[in-house]
Structures are given as structure tokens and as C-alpha cells.
Amino acid sequence: MTYPEIELYVGGHWLRRPGAPIVNPADESVLGTVPHATIADLDDALDAAARGFALWRKTAPNARAQIILRAAALIRERVDQMAVAMTLEQGKPLDQARLEILRGCDIIEWDATEGMRQYGRVIPAGPGLQHTVYRQPIGPVAAFSPWNFPMSSPARKVAGALASGCSIILKASEETPAGALQLVRAFHDAGLPPGVLNLVYGDPAAISDHLVPHPTIRLITFTGSVPVGKHLAAMAGRAMKPAIMELGGHGPVIVCDDVDPVTTAAASVVAKSRNAGQVCVAPTRFFVHERLYEKFAATFAERAAQLKIGNGLDPSTQLGPLANVRRIEAMERLVADAKSRGARVMAGGQRLGNRGYYYPLTVLADLPDDALAMNEEPFGPLALINPVRSLDEAIAKANALPFGLAAYAFTRSADNVQRLSTDVEAGNLTINHFVASTAETPFGGVKDSGYGREGGTEGLGCYTIAKNVSHQFTPAG
Ligand code: NAD
């Protein structure tokens, strides 16, 4: 199985640098080396991004779209080889890696075409006076993408920036660098002019300290943990720069008493096991009406125990290894705490083997509200199931945490849907299924889960500024 040589991409040039090992989570072998950018490399990237922006903002939207669409077409051609590299570095099963890449293409394609429709508006203000609102690209963007979606997360940031006429410096994950590398390679091969897109890896804090306050950078976008997001948002605020912050979540799932507990539990297991639960929109806290509770929990546990766990390259694998040893340690800490507080372990509960980061889908029931797992984002294969007596109680519990990213509900009642739609505190509420976001919809959080949006017209809007030109002229006649 081939894993690509990881390089930096600055000003249209591929650069090799010494760096750190990249570990395969399936067997802890070393896949390669991630190069670390020097401060001089970052300065070169900043210069390149400034030149790239000057050129790209003047490029016709249609011409921009053609290049972006060509990159997406190349990625679609390369999906199989890209997916293998991502499974090797991140652990997710191969079919999920393929789906992530294809979803990334959907996003790139949608943004590319929507970027041709960044219309302004004309506001007639009376005889001889007209206001014209222009949507202009905001400028060079500094983007920070995480390890859990090595391709689709950087794709969102790159597509949003490029489709809006911005240049971008992407600092992708050092632990899963191939997803971003292959994405950037496709844009290079599609003929993107040098400097419009730059890719760096290295010491995350050193890179953000250098890029975020730098005057060339006009927008920060970050996907990752709440503490790092707050740190970067504060840094951006000190430099008076806007930011898009896609941070953690603790997805509540409200199961009302008018649905089938068996099919709902089965769908929940599939959703929870996706990327071994290392997903910011993962369903995590299940609040199930007491009438369905035991049946739902028992079905969930039974299906969870049936999942085939193994190396993601094996086509029969349904649950791959966790991406790094930090997630194993987190699962062990959260499960030990929940057990000590009286939670029932209905499936899983223990690391599997000691080579590779395997942890089963673990089902915990009857957790007290103060269990650590009920408050801290598990970011792993933990499902927490508790009974509720009413929709009011479920909504109150769903809203009790400082997170507000994705929330889910299962019901057949239009009245319940209306109530949930107005009262659940989340950027994305999904009813009767588990797809929290698509290319054409805005995605993002409230409260500690962040601000700004990715996806949809709202997402593209974050990469532009509204400039008003007010024009007094001689009225006709
Ligand atoms: P972490 O807090 O150490 O790092 C989170 C991400 O931020 C990583 O990609 C890291 O490289 C980056 N980072 C860290 N310090 C930085 C800095 N000063 N400047 C720029 N980037 C910086 O946590 P971790 O162990 O990698 O992941 C653990 C937690 O992160 C998870 O529990 C989850 O809550 C969160 N996370 C969220 C997402 C998401 O999609 N929202 C993705 C990955 C991780």
C-alpha cells in the first residue's frame, strides 16, 4: 500500500523539510515524515498568498470556477488511491474514506458554481442617490484543519476561500497530512496559479502565532477543540480579524415516544460508529422516552457488539482504530469515571489488544448528569443513553451543556418538530436521520461550539465583505 511523500506547497513549489513521524493507528508503524515549515517558509507563504490574492481576486468568477471544478474532477479520478492513504494515516474504514473524499468533491463543486453568483445589490435611495453593495473577497485566509477529516475539512476551507476569490494558507493536521496534500496536489494539477493556495505543516502553535496576527491575513478559519478555538479567536480578536470557528460538540439525540425504538437504535449505531465517533457532530447523548428506553438501549447494545472491528483496509471492517493514543486514554478515563458513578456498561468498555488503537463502540446507560462523559466531548466511540419522561425534559437536558453544534431528534409529530426547531440550542438540528450537513446548507455552532458558518451561501458569505458605495449623481431630467 502506498503512502505519499508529504511536502509543503508554497508559492507553487513543493518543498521537503525535516519533521516528525506519521503513525499508522492500525498497527503503530511509521508511514513517513511530516515536514515542518520554518518561519522563513511561512514568510514565503505569506508573500505568495498576497501575490496570489492580487491575481485571483481579479480573475473572472467563471474562470475561477473552471479551475476549481477541474481539481474536483481530478480528485474523483484519484479517489481510490487517496482513500488508501487516508485510511493508513487516520484509521477510518476504506469505504468511509472514499465517502469523505466524494463528499469533499460535492462541497468543492457546489462552492465553485455558487462562487459565480456572489451578487451585490442596488439600493435606490431617491433621485440622484444610489447605494451599491459589492461582495468582495475578504483577502488571504489562514486555515487550520483537524485530523479527523483529513480531506473534507480542508476541502471546505479551500473551496470556500477560492470560490470567493480569496487566497489561502492551509495548515493541515500533522497527524493526518496526506488528505490535505492530495487535495492541494489536485488544485496544482488543475492549473491553479502559484500562491493562491499554500500548504504548510509544523508546530501548530508556532504557525498560528506567526500567521494569525500577520497583516497579510484577513480571515482565520479553524476546526478543532474548544480550548484551541478560544485561543485562536482571542488572537484574531486582538488583531481585529474575523474568524470562522468550528469547534466541539456533544450531540444530543432526542427519541420521542412515537417512533420505532429498534430501527431508531439501529440507525443510531451506524451514525455513532462513523469514524469511530471522532466527529464533531457525532450523536452522543441519547435522551430516550422512558416507554421506549429499555428496548432502545438493548437494541443499541446488541448492534454495537456486532460491529466488525479491525484495520480499515479490510473491506469487512465497520469500526477502525481510533486515530491516536490520546483518544484511547480519553475513552479509558471517561468510562472508568462513568462506572464509578454507577453507569451500566451495556457493550464494550475496554481497549482491544495493545497494538493499534482499537476501542469498541461502548454503550453506557443510566449515567448521572455529573458523569464526566456527559459533560466533556468524548470524541470517540461512546454512546450515553438515558431515559426522559417528556419532550420538555429532553430539550432541557439537550441544552444543558455549553456546546451547541449538531442535535438530532426522532419523532413523527409535526408539533414536536416545531417545538424542537425553536427550542433546541444548536447550529444544526436533524430530524429522523443523521446527516447533519451537506454542501448547500450552512454548518456551524452556537455557544462554545463556535461561530461563523461553512457550507451554503452563508458559508461563502464569511469569505467576503460587504462594501457599500453610495453615489450622488445628477438625476436624469
Ligand atoms: P488539541 O486540542 O490538542 O488539538 C486540536 C487541533 O488543534 C489539532 O488539529 C491541533 O493540531 C490544533 N492545534 C493545537 N494547538 C494549536 C495552536 N496553538 N494553533 C493552531 N492549531 C492548534 O486536541 P486533540 O488531542 O488533537 O483532539 C482532541 C479534541 O479536539 C477532541 O476531543 C475534540 O474535542 C477536538 N477536535 C474537534 C474537531 C472538530 O471537528 N471540531 C476535530 C479534531 C479535534
Side-chain angles (χ1 to χ4, degrees):
M1 292 293 172
T2 51
Y3 187 79
E5 172 91 35
I6 308 296
E7 296 170 307
L8 311 176
Y9 183 66
V10 175
H13 301 291
W14 295 99
L15 307 176
R16 294 191 177 181
R17 295 285 181 268
I22 305 157
V23 175
N24 181 344
D27 58 11
E28 300 176 48
S29 62
V30 172
L31 292 166
T33 300
V34 63
H36 281 195
T38 62
I39 294 295
D41 292 328
L42 298 180
D43 284 336
D44 288 346
L46 286 159
D47 287 346
R51 286 194 307 275
F53 179 56
L55 176 86
W56 194 240
R57 72 193 290 261
K58 296 258 169 73
T59 304
N62 181 280
R64 293 200 292 245
Q66 295 312 316
I67 294 175
I68 301 170
L69 289 170
R70 206 176 304 139
L74 288 173
I75 295 169
R76 287 190 187 278
E77 278 172 24
R78 300 171 185 178
V79 60
D80 289 331
Q81 122 206 19
M82 287 177 69
V84 168
M86 273 168 49
T87 292
L88 285 169
E89 67 183 10
Q90 204 265 342
K92 68 182 57 167
L94 206 48
D95 60 340
Q96 291 185 29
R98 286 185 91 259
L99 280 177
E100 177 186 337
I101 295 163
L102 296 175
R103 189 168 158 267
C105 289
D106 291 346
I107 291 168
I108 295 168
E109 289 158 355
W110 195 88
D111 281 2
T113 49
E114 190 64 15
M116 293 192 281
R117 291 185 281 273
Q118 302 261 28
Y119 306 134
R121 75 187 194 279
V122 172
I123 303 168
L129 182 63
Q130 179 175 292
H131 308 305
T132 307
V133 181
Y134 289 81
R135 300 254 23 146
Q136 295 190 316
I138 194 165
V141 176
F144 300 86
S145 62
W147 47 261
N148 58 334
F149 285 102
M151 188 275 179
S152 63
S153 180
R156 267 197 150 147
K157 298 177 189 308
V158 168
L162 299 193
S164 305
C166 300
S167 61
I168 182 167
I169 302 175
L170 171 65
K171 190 215 77 73
S173 165
E174 289 71 29
E175 292 171 302
T176 59
L181 176 103
Q182 297 175 122
L183 171 78
V184 171
R185 208 175 274 292
F187 278 93
H188 172 85
D189 295 346
L192 188 72
V196 178
L197 168 60
N198 304 275
L199 173 66
V200 296
Y201 308 94
D203 171 359
I207 295 178
S208 58
D209 282 353
H210 197 70
L211 295 186
V212 173
H214 195 282
T216 296
I217 297 299
R218 300 311 318 156
L219 172 73
I220 317 302
T221 168
F222 170 75
T223 300
S225 66
V226 172
V228 176
K230 286 186 173 176
H231 169 70
L232 294 185
M235 220 196 296
R238 280 195 296 276
M240 199 48 74
K241 294 179 188 184
I244 304 167
M245 289 286 150
E246 295 291 355
L247 309 180
H250 205 306
V253 183
I254 296 174
V255 181
C256 298
D257 64 354
D258 58 352
V259 298
D260 175 17
V262 172
T263 53
T264 310
S268 301
V269 169
V270 173
K272 181 75 228 184
S273 60
R274 181 170 158 250
N275 204 7
Q278 302 162 114
V279 185
C280 52
V281 298
T284 296
R285 290 173 297 148
F286 292 83
F287 299 116
V288 183
H289 191 277
E290 59 186 0
R291 218 166 51 73
L292 313 182
Y293 178 63
E294 284 303 337
K295 186 76 186 162
F296 179 92
T299 308
F300 200 122
E302 188 190 313
R303 301 289 176 106
Q306 287 166 359
L307 290 173
K308 170 103 184 350
I309 302 171
N311 188 320
L313 294 176
D314 178 340
S316 66
T317 292
Q318 293 168 300
L319 193 74
L322 304 194
N324 55 59
V325 73
R326 300 189 300 286
R327 298 316 323 137
I328 291 282
E329 289 159 0
M331 296 313 106
E332 288 176 338
R333 186 168 52 80
L334 296 176
V335 171
D337 170 81
K339 279 161 75 172
S340 76
R341 291 171 197 266
R344 263 192 296 159
V345 181
M346 297 187 69
Q350 244 175 354
R351 180 179 183 174
L352 303 171
N354 55 10
R355 190 169 167 78
Y357 308 131
Y358 294 98
Y359 201 93
L361 178 44
T362 294
V363 182
L364 302 174
D366 306 332
L367 296 99
D369 287 345
D370 62 356
L372 284 180
M374 290 293 287
N375 295 278
E376 203 179 291
E377 181 182 26
F379 220 67
L382 292 195
L384 318 173
I385 308 182
N386 275 344
V388 284
R389 281 181 301 277
S390 65
L391 186 57
D392 284 347
E393 185 188 353
I395 292 175
K397 284 184 180 280
N399 290 345
L401 297 190
F403 298 104
L405 192 59
Y408 305 89
F410 285 80
T411 181
R412 291 165 195 262
S413 154
D415 286 351
N416 286 350
V417 171
Q418 197 53 35
R419 178 74 213 290
L420 290 155
S421 304
T422 49
D423 291 352
V424 171
E425 296 170 358
N428 292 74
L429 172 67
T430 303
I431 295 173
N432 294 338
H433 71 100
F434 278 109
V435 180
S437 80
T438 59
E440 62 271 37
T441 55
F443 171 67
V446 297
K447 305 197 280 187
D448 272 3
S449 294
Y451 45 70
R453 291 294 178 264
E454 294 193 306
T457 50
E458 293 82 357
L460 284 188
C462 293
Y463 291 89
T464 66
I465 48 163
K467 180 197 274 178
N468 185 51
V469 176
S470 183
H471 183 189
Q472 178 85 60
F473 55 97
T474 313

